[in-house]
Amino acid sequence: MTEPTRPKTSSPYDVNSQPVPLSDCAACQKITAKREAARAEFDYSAVSDGTVMLRAHLRTAHDQ
């Protein structure tokens, strides 16, 4: 039997860094507020979800 392998990806960003919201974007600020509220409640699953949503928003709306 062979050992399972992890898929290799070429990540366009450092997965340990936090995305930086744009200060003049209401959507960025809304996502960031939800993420910070989740962090204050120690809901790290929701924090992670917010990080993914912010990265996706920055990529699609701001070409980052």
Side-chain angles (χ1 to χ4, degrees):
M1 187 187 312
T2 61
E3 290 292 319
T5 59
R6 295 182 62 184
K8 298 196 187 298
T9 61
S10 57
S11 178
Y13 47 78
D14 178 6
V15 296
N16 295 317
S17 68
Q18 295 295 313
V20 178
L22 299 179
S23 60
D24 61 343
C25 174
C28 283
Q29 296 307 311
K30 184 176 179 180
I31 295 168
T32 300
K34 285 184 178 183
R35 193 171 63 147
E36 292 306 314
R39 184 172 285 129
E41 296 174 9
F42 304 101
D43 184 354
Y44 298 114
S45 177
V47 172
S48 179
D49 292 345
T51 299
V52 170
M53 290 185 342
L54 184 56
R55 285 188 201 280
H57 171 72
L58 289 169
R59 187 173 50 254
T60 58
H62 304 295
D63 295 324
Q64 291 187 3

